Amino acid sequence: YKYDIEGPDAGALMSFLWARDMGALSVGQVGYGVMCDERGYALDDGTVARLSETKFRMTSSEPWLHWLHRHG
């Protein structure tokens, strides 16, 4: 699954959802990490690519669109 996350707070959202500071990625850089729930429990792993200053693409092995809408 691939999801594009875009907007002025996209980096902050990616860093909130993933156990890694994805907002610190440079444009064109890809980071691997673990997506966690609000208690810190691992939900899935995958990659996040920084496509622009305000756009990220995350990948996962499970469908998380509903969960992303609830937390984004």
Side-chain angles (χ1 to χ4, degrees):
Y1 295 87
K2 295 178 183 166
Y3 302 100
D4 287 349
I5 311 296
E6 188 170 12
D9 296 325
L13 177 61
M14 291 292 93
S15 293
F16 173 74
L17 298 176
W18 293 83
R20 180 175 176 170
D21 185 5
M22 297 297 190
L25 293 173
S26 299
V27 173
Q29 193 174 18
V30 178
Y32 172 79
V34 177
M35 189 169 58
C36 298
D37 67 11
E38 46 288 323
R39 296 168 298 180
Y41 291 107
L43 299 173
D44 202 351
D45 68 333
T47 60
V48 174
R50 187 164 203 161
L51 304 177
S52 75
E53 287 299 318
T54 59
K55 185 174 183 178
F56 293 79
R57 177 171 294 141
M58 62 173 268
T59 65
S60 65
S61 61
E62 298 291 326
W64 292 107
L65 186 59
H66 183 292
W67 192 83
L68 288 169
H69 280 285
R70 195 171 73 215
H71 291 86

